């Protein structure tokens, strides 16, 4: 009887009230589903067995920061490593550290300056991976600004390095590795993007860096669609601030993880969505940013970057 009475009450309501109620119900259902999905992905979804892609992983920029943490975490998972960097001494040091902790790990090092002779670097990579099953590629090598600056203040050398390393090197290293994955019909590619290109509407005073990372995002998304049916999982990972030298952050915190903490989360996400933010507190920041009007974030970011620029210029003046 109560149900019938409730139905009669609904019939007596104006159409616009019913429509608003329906919209509200749909919005609540969508929010609930998104929240449950986030909880599952963040805390309950099991990681994939990375060895199923192949027994080797190739990591660019492995001598410091996120790249080094990736290398250690991959070795912990039992993968052999191809480490690509420009400093032979640093590559040797990282290799020794990994072998001291994970003695069974096989490691190949490739000395390649991705900001220099890229063709020669890619040739050396092709030689190093010939005959081995590189199942995972981590394109981590990247260049940012020394500190914030207006676009007209970006010198020719910095401009060249930003585009060469962040865009060209990622593209060409991927092109060198992907044929083997196609042949074996399995593989995973992780391209390290940035919240500067995706999470916030603009990144003033870091314009070229943000633009190169936007390329990484679209490049990853597109080849994900191209190669998904070939057994290759392509993913753009979108970190926010991580306590690294490149970010000029020394101390980690809840919202700014250490490279090791970030890399642990990153491995947990490989093989799933074409774009993700592996470290879950970063996803909270992304959620908050998505509901704040763009002009507010733009104004905050400009003010924040101007402060970094002022401190950077002061530091440069003291060196002179």
């Amino acid at each position: 009887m109560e149900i019938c009475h409730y139905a009669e009450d609904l019939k007596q309501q104006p159409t616009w009230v019913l429509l608003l109620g329906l919209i509200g119900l749909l919005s609540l259902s969508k929010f609930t589903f998104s929240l449950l999905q986030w909880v599952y992905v963040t805390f309950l979804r099991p990681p994939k067995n990375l060895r199923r892609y192949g027994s080797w992983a190739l990591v660019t920029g492995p001598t410091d920061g996120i790249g080094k943490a990736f290398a250690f975490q991959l070795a912990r998972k039992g993968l052999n490593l191809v480490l690509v960097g420009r400093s032979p001494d640093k590559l040797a040091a990282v290799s020794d550290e990994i072998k001291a902790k994970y003695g069974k790990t096989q490691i190949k090092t490739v000395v390649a300056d991705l900001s220099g002779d890229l063709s020669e670097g890619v040739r050396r990579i092709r030689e190093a991976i010939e005959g081995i099953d590189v199942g995972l590629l981590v394109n981590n090598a990247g260049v940012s600004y020394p500190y914030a600056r207006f676009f007209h203040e970006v010198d020719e050398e910095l401009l060249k390095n930003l585009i060469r390393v962040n865009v060209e090197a990622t593209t060409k290293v991927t092109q060198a590795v992907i044929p083997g994955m196609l042949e074996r019909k399995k593989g995973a590619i992780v391209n390290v993007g940035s919240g500067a290109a995706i999470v916030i509407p603009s990144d003033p005073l870091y314009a070229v860096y943000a633009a190169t990372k936007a390329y990484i995002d679209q490049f990853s998304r597109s080849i994900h669609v191209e190669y998904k049916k070939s057994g290759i999982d392509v993913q753009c990972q979108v970190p926010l601030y991580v306590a690294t030298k490149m970010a000029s952050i020394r101390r980690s915190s809840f919202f700014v993880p250490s490279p090791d903490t970030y890399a642990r989360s990153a491995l947990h996400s490989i093989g799933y969505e074409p774009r993700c933010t592996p470290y879950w507190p970063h996803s909270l920041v992304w959620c908050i940013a998505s509901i704040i009007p763009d002009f507010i974030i733009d104004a905050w970011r400009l003010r924040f970057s101007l402060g970094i620029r002022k401190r950077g210029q002061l530091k440069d003046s003291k060196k002179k």
Side-chain angles (χ1 to χ4, degrees):
M1 291 295 291
E2 290 184 3
I3 295 175
C4 292
H5 182 68
Y6 180 68
E8 287 298 324
D9 286 344
L10 282 178
K11 288 180 181 180
Q12 294 175 11
Q13 297 298 322
T15 303
W16 66 269
V17 172
L18 295 176
L19 285 174
L20 284 178
L22 179 61
I23 292 170
L25 180 62
L26 290 174
S27 297
L28 180 61
S29 298
K30 182 180 178 181
F31 172 78
T32 303
F33 175 78
S34 298
L35 179 62
L36 291 175
Q37 184 181 42
W38 178 80
V39 170
Y40 171 73
V41 168
T42 304
F43 302 110
L44 302 175
R45 186 174 67 182
K48 292 194 175 183
N49 177 10
L50 301 182
R51 286 183 61 85
R52 75 180 182 88
Y53 292 116
S55 59
W56 288 79
L58 188 150
V59 183
T60 64
T63 58
D64 199 10
I66 293 175
K68 183 176 180 180
F70 257 115
F72 269 87
Q73 290 301 319
L74 290 169
R76 187 173 72 89
K77 293 290 186 180
L79 276 78
N80 301 313
L81 301 171
V82 179
L83 305 179
V84 180
R86 63 181 178 179
S87 169
D89 292 339
K90 289 183 178 180
L91 285 172
V94 170
S95 297
D96 290 344
E97 285 182 53
I98 294 173
K99 287 178 179 177
K101 193 168 185 179
Y102 306 106
K104 295 182 179 180
T105 305
Q106 299 179 55
I107 300 178
K108 290 188 173 189
T109 59
V110 180
V111 178
D113 183 0
L114 299 181
S115 65
D117 189 343
L118 190 53
S119 296
E120 174 61 19
V122 171
R123 185 192 66 79
R124 292 180 183 179
I125 291 172
R126 291 183 191 273
E127 287 184 355
I129 65 176
E130 188 174 355
I132 63 175
D133 59 333
V134 176
L136 174 60
L137 166 63
V138 179
N139 277 312
N140 164 78
V143 174
S144 185
Y145 292 24
Y147 57 84
R149 57 191 66 186
F150 286 96
F151 175 63
H152 72 274
E153 296 171 335
V154 177
D155 60 78
E156 190 66 27
E157 185 67 16
L158 176 56
L159 184 63
K160 183 195 77 172
N161 288 343
L162 284 162
I163 297 172
R164 178 66 62 85
V165 178
N166 296 358
V167 175
E168 290 187 50
T170 297
T171 305
K172 292 185 176 180
V173 170
T174 301
Q175 198 171 45
V177 174
I178 211 166
M181 295 180 176
L182 281 171
E183 186 178 335
R184 293 184 296 274
K185 294 183 173 57
K186 59 182 179 179
I189 298 170
V190 174
N191 296 323
V192 179
S194 172
I198 299 159
V199 176
I200 54 179
S202 70
D203 198 14
L205 278 64
Y206 289 93
V208 181
Y209 171 77
T212 61
K213 290 301 184 178
Y215 169 86
I216 295 300
D217 180 56
Q218 187 58 257
F219 172 64
S220 303
R221 182 85 182 187
S222 297
I223 62 173
H224 163 78
V225 176
E226 287 182 35
Y227 295 109
K228 183 66 177 177
K229 291 184 178 179
S230 300
I232 301 173
D233 297 321
V234 183
Q235 183 179 77
C236 177
Q237 294 196 353
V238 186
L240 276 68
Y241 283 119
V242 178
T244 63
K245 289 181 181 178
M246 192 169 86
S248 300
I249 301 174
R250 295 180 180 179
R251 294 183 180 180
S252 59
S253 63
F254 179 71
F255 286 108
V256 183
S258 67
D260 185 65
T261 298
Y262 174 81
R264 286 174 182 268
S265 299
L267 261 62
H268 205 91
S269 299
I270 292 174
Y272 287 105
E273 302 84 3
R275 179 207 281 167
C276 70
T277 303
Y279 182 60
W280 71 267
H282 284 175
S283 65
L284 295 180
V285 176
W286 191 345
C287 179
I288 294 169
S290 68
I291 60 179
I292 298 175
D294 287 359
F295 75 92
I296 294 177
I297 297 178
D298 287 343
W300 162 77
R301 189 64 190 177
L302 178 59
R303 186 165 58 252
F304 180 78
S305 296
L306 285 170
I308 295 176
R309 175 177 177 268
K310 185 176 181 180
R311 291 191 294 272
Q313 288 179 326
L314 183 62
K315 191 173 181 179
D316 276 355
S317 65
K318 288 181 179 179
K319 290 180 181 178
K320 295 176 182 179

